[in-house]
């Protein structure tokens, strides 16, 4: 069934509670009178509360109303913050360089306002040393505590140990800061026209990659 309200001749009731174009209460009037007023004002008679007794109808420009509603819905979708869970996989005996690289990814995800699922993968005899994975997760949580918190404590899941980090910063705040940073870079580029074209293109490419990664409602994973 259509979710659109009934308008004009589609309204089939003997009388309606009429609301004027500016929101003023006209009162209960016969349907024929309400349609006559709509014609005089060159507006539509729109049923806005079909379950009321009698139904409530309003005089309005229905085409303009639908357009403005569509624009508001589009703007709301544009500013909507998607909940994203990234995933980072580590080995319990990860070397320092790889750990720093993985930590850098976690820091970037948290700065973007995303949650991060940290998975420690045990293989072979490593499964008999779960404390190695636990200590690694605790170390990582401590290293990024300025940006995130432990939302789900470490727990064993088969051959893996899992912990979830949540960002201190809300997704909407991260998106707003990213837009501000992008605008600042554009302003700087205008103020410094001597900046190399290659550097500018590199920045734009990076921004595009980050935008896709931030808004995609899918998990991103990286294996150690």
């Amino acid at each position: 069934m259509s979710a659109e309200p009934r308008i004009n001749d589609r309204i089939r009731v003997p009388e309606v509670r009429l609301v004027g174009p500016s929101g003023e209460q006209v009162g209960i009037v016969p349907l024929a009178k309400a349609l006559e007023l709509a014609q005089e004002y060159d507006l539509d008679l729109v049923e806005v509360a079909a379950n009321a007794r009698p139904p409530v109808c309003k005089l309005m420009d229905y085409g303009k109303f639908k357009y403005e509603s569509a624009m508001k819905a589009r703007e709301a979708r544009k500013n909507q913050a998607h909940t994203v869970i990234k995933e980072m996989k580590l080995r319990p005996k990860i070397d320092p360089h790889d750990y720093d690289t993985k930590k850098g990814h976690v820091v970037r995800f948290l700065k973007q306002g995303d949650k991060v699922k940290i998975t420690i993968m045990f293989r072979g005899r490593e499964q008999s040393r779960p404390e190695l994975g636990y200590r690694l997760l605790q170390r990582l949580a401590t290293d990024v505590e300025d940006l995130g918190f432990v939302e789900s404590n470490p727990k064993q899941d088969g051959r893996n140990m899992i912990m979830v980090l949540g960002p201190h910063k809300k997704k909407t705040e991260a998106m707003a800061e990213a837009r501000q940073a992008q605008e600042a870079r554009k302003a700087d580029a205008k103020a410094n026209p001597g900046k190399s074209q290659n550097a500018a293109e590199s920045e734009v490419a990076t921004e595009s990659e980050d935008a896709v990664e931030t808004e995609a409602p899918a998990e991103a994973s990286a294996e150690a």
Side-chain angles (χ1 to χ4, degrees):
M1 296 180 63
S2 175
E4 293 189 0
R6 295 186 294 182
I7 65 172
N8 300 326
D9 294 335
R10 292 172 56 195
I11 301 172
R12 303 293 187 184
V13 292
E15 59 184 15
V16 299
R17 184 178 297 278
L18 186 63
V19 179
S22 300
E24 69 275 15
Q25 296 291 329
V26 178
I28 297 176
V29 300
L31 177 62
K33 177 64 175 177
L35 290 170
E36 182 181 332
L37 289 172
Q39 192 170 22
E40 289 180 8
Y41 282 104
D42 193 24
L43 295 172
D44 299 299
L45 181 67
V46 182
E47 190 177 59
V48 294
N51 294 328
R53 292 293 178 268
V56 179
C57 295
K58 184 176 181 180
L59 297 175
M60 68 172 73
D61 184 336
Y62 187 58
K64 180 180 179 182
F65 170 77
K66 286 186 65 177
Y67 175 79
E68 291 177 347
S69 297
M71 291 298 100
K72 289 179 181 178
R74 182 180 300 177
E75 188 65 22
R77 288 194 298 271
K78 179 180 177 181
N79 295 325
Q80 183 178 5
H82 299 283
T83 300
V84 178
I85 299 180
K86 306 290 187 178
E87 182 174 12
M88 187 60 56
K89 296 181 178 181
L90 296 81
R91 294 290 304 280
K93 295 181 180 179
I94 187 170
D95 67 63
H97 175 74
D98 285 343
Y99 174 80
D100 289 339
T101 300
K102 300 289 186 178
K103 184 180 70 175
H105 291 313
V106 174
V107 166
R108 178 162 56 90
F109 294 150
L110 292 174
K111 284 183 176 180
Q112 291 174 174
D114 296 322
K115 296 182 180 181
V116 188
K117 175 183 176 182
I118 312 297
T119 302
I120 304 295
M121 302 179 298
F122 296 95
R123 295 178 183 174
R125 296 181 180 180
E126 292 175 347
Q127 297 180 58
S128 64
R129 301 288 304 279
E131 68 277 7
L132 296 178
Y134 182 81
R135 285 200 295 266
L136 182 58
L137 291 176
Q138 292 293 92
R139 173 188 173 189
L140 181 58
T142 300
D143 287 347
V144 299
E145 62 184 357
D146 291 341
L147 298 171
F149 62 96
V150 177
E151 184 174 285
S152 178
N153 289 317
K155 63 180 180 180
Q156 196 76 25
D157 182 16
R159 293 189 300 174
N160 300 328
M161 183 174 288
I162 296 171
M163 177 181 72
V164 177
L165 296 174
H168 291 313
K169 185 184 300 180
K170 293 182 179 179
K171 184 75 171 182
T172 51
E173 295 175 354
M175 292 172 64
E177 289 182 4
R179 285 194 292 269
Q180 291 175 358
Q182 183 177 0
E183 291 172 358
R185 285 193 291 270
K186 289 180 179 178
D188 181 64
K190 289 182 179 179
N192 300 279
K195 188 175 183 179
S196 69
Q197 183 64 26
N198 289 338
E201 291 176 354
S202 176
E203 287 186 3
V204 171
T206 302
E207 291 165 6
S208 300
E209 291 175 359
D210 288 345
V212 171
E213 192 170 26
T214 298
E215 296 178 4
E219 290 191 352
S221 63
E223 294 193 13

